[in-house]
Amino acid sequence: MRERIASACARSGRDPSSVKLVAVTKGRTPQQVRALLRAGQRDLAENRVQAWRALADEVADAVADEPLRWHLVGHLQRNKVRYCHGFELIHSLDSERLALALEAEGSRQGHVFRTLIQVNVSGEVSKYGVEPAQAEDLLGVVGGLEHVRVEGLMTMAPYHDDAERARPVFSSLRVLAERTELAELSMGMSGDLEVAVEEGATLVRVGTALFEP
Ligand SMILES: *Cc1c(COP(=O)(O)O)cnc(C)c1O
């Protein structure tokens, strides 16, 4: 996987260290996750808070050198925000109401939540995320909050056999991030990560390609 990222970086004149590999562990066993940790992987992601709590408990003792960095990549319900201070980064901020719930929780716990705004670039009804035109409004709201910080944008491209079909989605997200002066771009999964890296991804979220070689 690191080689795939490195060659996409070489093609686009980027430094491989500017792309972080986030391993999506949803549906995997603790044994599978431990194997990944032995290979040196430290950034992990789950898409559901409940499943994350169970898995994080099971593998917590697996590494001693460096703490695990857990990311949340799935839709977050407001009644779960109290569990979320353990996440390094929440990739799925998708509403003002969620931002306000995180603010209230952060203020209670003295914690600042690091987030990315999830943008539904493709307009697929099955996808979470704000419309591109709403991202700046949400950014405006969060700008007034003390316990929520937006560091970038996240998107999921529609599934397609031909990864090139994802390119316009990824480049639109990059343009939006440039306009809003946000540094992080979470885009690219098992099937389309090269295209995402070529279009500027700083975080790629990979499950299948890591666990099912
Ligand atoms: C499952 C998941 C991924 C990883 O998808 P793969 O195709 O298995 O690499 C990435 N992002 C999100 C939000 C996911 O839910």
Side-chain angles (χ1 to χ4, degrees), residues 4-150:
R4 277 179 66 181
I5 293 172
S7 55
C9 282
R11 278 198 298 280
S12 46
R14 297 186 58 195
D15 178 348
S17 70
S18 67
V19 183
K20 185 172 272 181
L21 172 61
V22 178
V24 182
T25 58
K26 66 168 185 264
R28 309 299 169 182
T29 64
Q31 289 74 13
Q32 285 178 296
V33 175
R34 283 170 190 272
L36 206 61
L37 297 174
R38 279 196 297 278
Q41 181 66 24
R42 292 294 178 269
D43 284 275
L44 306 172
E46 274 290 324
N47 67 339
R48 298 183 58 218
V49 172
Q50 232 89 0
W52 163 66
R53 295 180 77 205
L55 181 67
D57 263 1
E58 293 228 45
V59 302
D61 62 347
V63 283
D65 57 344
E66 192 188 345
L68 299 182
R69 293 180 293 272
W70 281 101
H71 299 241
L72 180 67
V73 297
H75 178 65
L76 174 57
Q77 289 172 303
R78 282 173 294 149
N79 63 3
K80 302 272 165 53
V81 295
R82 65 181 178 279
Y83 305 115
C84 289
H85 54 271
F87 287 113
E88 171 82 8
L89 187 63
I90 295 171
H91 294 226
S92 47
L93 180 63
D94 59 4
S95 72
E96 183 176 330
R97 294 201 310 170
L98 176 58
L100 296 177
L102 287 168
E103 173 63 18
E105 190 59 33
S107 145
R108 237 188 315 275
Q109 297 184 357
H111 179 79
V112 177
F113 292 100
R114 299 174 54 211
T115 70
L116 308 176
I117 293 178
Q118 181 171 354
V119 184
N120 184 356
V121 176
S122 66
E124 275 186 296
V125 288
S126 61
K127 296 259 193 298
Y128 285 105
V130 301
E131 287 171 30
Q134 294 171 334
E136 287 173 79
D137 294 342
L138 183 52
L139 204 52
V141 170
V142 180
L145 306 178
E146 279 179 44
H147 301 89
V148 185
R149 200 161 69 209
V150 174

Side-chain angles (χ1 to χ4, degrees), residues 24 26 28 47 73-74 154 156 188-191 205-209:
V24 182
K26 66 168 185 264
R28 309 299 169 182
N47 67 339
V73 297
M154 178 273 229
M156 289 176 81
M189 315 195 334
S190 293
R205 311 176 308 267
V206 181
T208 314

